[in-house]
Amino acid sequence: MTHEVVHQVEALAPRLAAAAAETERLGRLSADSVAVVKEAGVMRLLQPKDFGGFAAHPRDFAEAVMAVAAHCGSTGWVCGVGGLHPWEMALCDRRLQEEVWGTDPDTWIASPYMPSGVAVPTDGGYLLTGHWQFSSGTDHCDWIFLGAAVGDAEGKPLRPPKVLHVVLPRADYTIVEDSWNVVGLSGTGSKDVVVDGAFVPGYRTISAAEVAEGELAAERAGRTDTVYRLPFWSMFPLGITAAVIGITEGLLREHYAYQRDRVSVYGTRIKEDPYTLYAIGEAAAEIAAARTQLLDGISRAYDVAEAGKPVTFEQRAIIRRNQTRSAWRAVRAGDEIFARSGGNALRLDKPMQRFWRDSHAGLHHAIHVPGPAYHLAALVGMGVEPAPHQRITT
């Protein structure tokens, strides 16, 4: 059954669509876009129930992100990234969860996870310094997850590396304004953030390796809901790829409406042109297949965890392969119909061109780089043991 939050998004969709142009112009989510997301409850889908969330099935989360992205790509992207953070926060120290959600369960958390900073151990915690890019939706967040390499006394990363996810309140980091000027997904406001020697108490950190495995972190946090036992690298890409697929669904919807009464330069009605209709039908099937492929992977992982079993490395490799493939499959299908939309589709007052640009921007996220994911899945299929560095994002 479709989750109530997805129904809420669909009911509020006209407001999202109406605010999309302003979101792009502002370079961050508009006030109405934020209000819609909060009213629908999208960011609380993966949040634990004891802090006002739903602890929902990850499939429901992905479907909600798709529903948002189909009407505003940037808002969907922020939901896909930011909506995952409550899932990880549920695995952190209870004191931190109280600090973040104790007075407002609608508090949003930003990221990024790239270990672009160094955390030097000190009494009671760490001193953190670094500069991170791509903090999506950061203007609307009061806390942030940051990836950090643990350093020695001189501030040099340890070897072999040890990576933490550290959590800071808004007062402890600086958002670099005018650091997000891009061709697509510009409304995400994915700006740079800087930290200069902030103290991070030990309880506001969690081991990246521990979160990657899922089960261990859930046990230590006392979380028994199935969703918290899933691996990070099955969960984190889910929302991002869901946003990309949702964006292509929005492109397809706009394409249908645009082509319905259009007459080509040759005087042919598009609805009577068998070549264009074939391309539309094929693209629609590919986008639908991409949705199914993504949702099937996370559902299979959930079923394994629900049965009390660990999601094996081999299973995770296949999920990552298919997740990556589904994003590329959907965007390529979008290209086929956009290329047949005529010159007027390029005009900036046409929503179709924004969906097209946003979909391509979404492929530039690191989790959509196909080579490593395909390579690893092929090795696993052959029964070949991958090298340690090939396991990092799976």
Side-chain angles (χ1 to χ4, degrees):
M1 293 179 63
T2 303
H3 196 280
E4 61 186 277
V5 169
V6 179
H7 288 306
Q8 275 288 91
V9 171
E10 292 170 346
L12 297 169
R15 286 171 57 189
L16 281 173
E22 183 186 8
T23 285
E24 180 166 66
R25 180 182 62 79
L26 292 171
R28 56 177 168 78
L29 300 192
S30 67
D32 203 40
S33 295
V34 172
V36 168
V37 172
K38 289 188 175 182
E39 187 176 340
V42 179
M43 292 294 199
R44 291 186 285 110
L45 274 166
L46 299 181
Q47 197 160 309
K49 296 175 183 177
D50 48 326
F51 285 102
F54 296 95
H57 194 299
R59 179 189 182 102
D60 295 325
F61 168 63
E63 289 185 327
V65 170
M66 290 177 188
V68 173
H71 296 279
C72 177
S74 287
T75 305
W77 183 272
V78 171
C79 288
V81 175
L84 182 277
H85 299 147
W87 173 84
E88 182 171 2
M89 182 56 63
L91 305 175
C92 293
D93 191 290
R94 180 80 184 202
R95 288 171 291 177
L96 178 57
Q97 296 174 43
E98 291 282 358
E99 288 175 340
V100 173
W101 292 317
T103 59
D104 184 5
D106 274 321
T107 297
W108 289 7
I109 310 164
S111 57
Y113 291 107
M114 179 67 72
S116 300
V118 178
V120 177
T122 189
D123 291 342
Y126 301 86
L127 293 177
L128 179 68
T129 299
H131 185 145
W132 292 258
Q133 294 181 312
F134 311 121
S135 184
S136 296
T138 198
D139 288 303
H140 312 286
C141 299
D142 296 317
W143 292 78
I144 194 167
F145 272 109
L146 294 172
V150 177
D152 59 21
E154 297 178 353
K156 297 179 180 179
L158 301 178
R159 290 291 182 267
K162 178 182 178 182
V163 177
L164 299 174
H165 292 171
V166 303
V167 184
L168 282 74
R170 180 67 185 82
D172 287 354
Y173 59 95
T174 300
I175 297 173
V176 181
E177 298 297 338
D178 299 322
S179 57
W180 186 243
N181 183 20
V182 291
V183 70
L185 293 174
S186 57
T188 65
S190 301
K191 301 173 182 177
D192 294 13
V193 297
V194 175
V195 178
D196 186 13
F199 173 68
V200 184
Y203 73 89
R204 290 184 185 167
T205 72
I206 189 168
S207 164
E210 186 175 303
V211 175
E213 294 304 318
E215 286 184 298
L216 179 58
E219 289 174 6
R220 290 189 178 178
R223 294 291 175 191
T224 57
D225 292 289
T226 299
V227 66
Y228 301 117
R229 297 178 56 238
L230 293 170
F232 177 86
W233 289 109
S234 297
M235 289 293 290
F236 175 59
L238 175 67
I240 299 172
T241 302
V244 170
I245 294 172
I247 290 167
T248 65
E249 291 177 332
L251 171 59
L252 178 63
R253 185 192 64 250
E254 291 293 332
H255 185 77
Y256 279 139
Y258 179 68
Q259 296 281 47
R260 185 175 296 115
D261 298 315
R262 179 171 166 255
V263 178
S264 76
V265 69
Y266 301 108
T268 304
R269 293 180 181 274
I270 298 302
K271 60 186 178 184
E272 297 171 357
D273 177 359
Y275 307 108
T276 300
L277 294 178
Y278 181 97
I280 295 172
E282 184 176 52
E286 285 294 283
I287 292 170
R291 166 186 274 260
T292 299
Q293 190 172 38
L294 181 70
L295 297 179
D296 176 74
I298 199 63
S299 296
R300 287 175 182 269
Y302 186 92
D303 289 346
V304 171
E306 178 78 357
K309 301 175 182 178
V311 182
T312 67
F313 179 77
E314 290 75 14
Q315 290 168 328
R316 284 148 53 184
I318 292 171
I319 290 169
R320 279 284 283 124
R321 178 199 68 193
N322 291 352
Q323 161 260 315
T324 303
R325 176 60 180 167
S326 66
W328 284 84
R329 186 178 198 174
V331 173
R332 285 171 173 166
D335 284 346
E336 289 298 315
I337 53 176
F338 189 69
R340 291 169 170 82
S341 298
N344 283 317
L346 298 171
R347 298 186 184 279
L348 294 179
D349 62 346
K350 303 292 185 186
M352 205 185 323
Q353 53 76 30
R354 184 171 58 247
F355 284 116
W356 181 71
R357 287 185 289 111
D358 287 350
S359 70
H360 278 272
L363 287 186
H364 284 254
H365 194 286
I367 62 104
H368 288 143
V369 176
Y374 292 175
H375 185 160
L376 182 60
L379 290 178
V380 166
M382 295 176 185
V384 177
E385 180 66 21
H389 72 273
Q390 293 174 312
R391 293 174 169 263
I392 293 175
T393 60
T394 301

